[in-house]
Amino acid sequence: MNKLPVLALLALVAGCSQKNTPAPTAESPAATPAAQAQGPAAAPTAEQIKQAATATQESAGAEESPGDASLERLAAMPEKAQLPGGKWKAGLNYLPIVPAQPTAAEPGQVEVLEVLWLGCPHCNELEPYIDAWRKKKPANVKFVQEHVMWGPVHRAHGRLFYTLEVLNRDDLVAKAFSEIHRRNNILLSPTGNDAQTQALQQAFAVANGVKEADFKREYNGFAVNTRLQRAEEIMRRYRIESVPRIIINGKYETDVGMAGNPEKLIELINDLAAAEKSR
C-alpha cells in the first residue's frame, strides 16, 4: 500500500488540530509532477493517523496555550459565572464562550456537547470514558454529539456518523471507532471516490446489523443532509479548532488537556453541568 505524502497525512488529521495543518505548495510532495505520477495515495492506517495527529497536537500545544488564546474572553466572564475557586480554574481548566450560544436543551436541562471526529485517535481514546459517563449522567443533562466538518475527509466520516444517528444506531459509533483505529479500516475510499466510500461504510453498517436498504435510503437523504448542515453551523458558532471538544450549556468549553486527563474531564463536566443547574 502506498503511503500518503506527509502533507496529505497531516491534512487528514486536521480534525484533531486544525490550525497547524500546512497548505500544499508548489514544492510540496503533494503538488509535484513526480508525486502526481505515482497515482492516488492509499488511505493511511490507524497507526499513521495516530502518529501524525500526535505530532500535530504537540505542535499546537507548543505554539499556544488555551489560557493565552482566550484572555479576552476570560476577561469578559463575570466572576459569578465562574466555578468556585480551588478545584478548577477559569482560563486554565475551562474557558468561557462569549457570547453564550443557544442550545437544544429543554427548560430545566443542561446541554453537554461533544464535538468529535471518527478518524481522530484522541476522540477514540476518550470514547470509553464518554460512553461510561453517558450511561449514568444526571437526568437533567442532555448529551449531544456532533461531528467536525472541516474538510472532505471529516464530512465523509460525518455522513456515516449522522446516518447511524438517523437510523437510531448510535451504538455503532464505538464500533466505527474500533473499525478505524483497531482494524485499520479507515472507511474511506483511498482515491476520494464518494461511491466507493459509501460502499465501504455501507459494508461496515450491514456487517453490524443495519439493513442495506435502510442505509442506502438515509445516507443521502434529507434527514442526514440536514444534520450535516447543522454540524457546519455548530463548527462556525463555536469556532472549533481541535477535537475532542466539550461544550457545556453553550457557555463553557474544555478538553482533556485543559482538565488534566479523561477522568478529570468527566469530573469537570459534572461540576460545570451542576453549576449550570443551580443557576
Side-chain angles (χ1 to χ4, degrees):
M1 182 177 69
N2 295 329
K3 292 183 179 180
L4 281 177
V6 173
L7 288 177
L9 183 54
L10 286 174
L12 179 59
V13 300
C16 289
S17 183
Q18 182 193 34
K19 57 191 172 185
N20 292 286
T21 304
T25 65
E27 293 76 23
S28 72
T32 59
Q36 294 173 358
Q38 294 176 357
T45 65
E47 183 59 29
Q48 288 173 312
I49 292 176
K50 184 174 182 178
Q51 291 172 358
T54 299
T56 304
Q57 291 231 14
E58 288 176 350
S59 173
E63 291 184 8
E64 182 177 46
S65 69
D68 292 341
S70 298
L71 287 176
E72 70 281 2
R73 286 194 285 162
L74 183 61
M77 186 182 191
E79 184 175 350
K80 65 180 181 180
Q82 301 183 31
L83 288 180
K87 188 175 183 181
W88 309 112
K89 184 177 179 182
L92 178 64
N93 302 122
Y94 64 97
L95 295 170
I97 296 171
V98 180
Q101 296 296 307
T103 73
E106 300 292 333
Q109 288 186 325
V110 175
E111 181 186 86
V112 172
L113 165 65
E114 179 193 16
V115 183
L116 56 82
W117 173 36
L118 288 177
C120 171
H122 308 288
C123 299
N124 174 56
E125 291 167 3
L126 181 61
E127 178 63 20
Y129 296 92
I130 292 293
D131 187 54
W133 168 80
R134 72 191 299 181
K135 292 175 181 177
K136 57 182 180 181
K137 65 177 180 60
N140 71 301
V141 171
K142 178 182 177 67
F143 180 61
V144 180
Q145 287 179 312
E146 296 285 355
H147 200 278
V148 76
M149 300 290 288
W150 285 311
V153 167
H154 312 101
R155 293 185 179 93
H157 276 152
R159 187 170 289 278
L160 170 62
F161 180 85
Y162 291 116
T163 299
L164 296 177
E165 179 185 274
V166 169
L167 290 170
N168 293 316
R169 291 304 308 271
D170 293 8
D171 59 299
L172 293 186
V173 170
K175 290 190 176 182
F177 273 121
S178 180
E179 187 77 9
I180 293 169
H181 298 280
R182 291 179 175 81
R183 300 187 64 187
N184 293 336
N185 178 9
I186 200 65
L187 296 176
L188 296 171
S189 164
T191 61
N193 181 277
D194 290 344
Q196 187 177 6
T197 290
Q198 178 176 348
L200 290 168
Q201 295 181 354
Q202 179 178 298
F204 159 76
V206 170
N208 285 281
V210 175
K211 293 182 179 178
E212 181 176 322
D214 292 341
F215 188 89
K216 287 182 176 179
R217 182 187 69 248
E218 300 297 349
Y219 192 77
N220 290 299
F222 176 79
V224 169
N225 286 328
T226 298
R227 292 296 287 113
L228 289 168
Q229 291 173 6
R230 170 174 163 75
E232 296 275 8
E233 178 190 353
I234 292 289
M235 297 307 104
R236 289 191 296 269
R237 285 203 286 118
Y238 287 113
R239 296 175 291 174
I240 301 297
E241 292 183 343
S242 65
V243 291
R245 203 72 171 175
I246 304 295
I247 310 293
I248 294 88
N249 225 28
K251 296 180 180 180
Y252 311 101
E253 61 178 321
T254 188
D255 59 23
V256 174
M258 282 189 276
N261 58 48
E263 292 89 350
K264 289 183 179 179
L265 177 62
I266 297 301
E267 290 181 32
L268 178 54
I269 291 171
N270 286 332
D271 287 348
L272 284 168
E276 279 299 290
K277 178 185 178 182
S278 66
R279 292 190 176 114

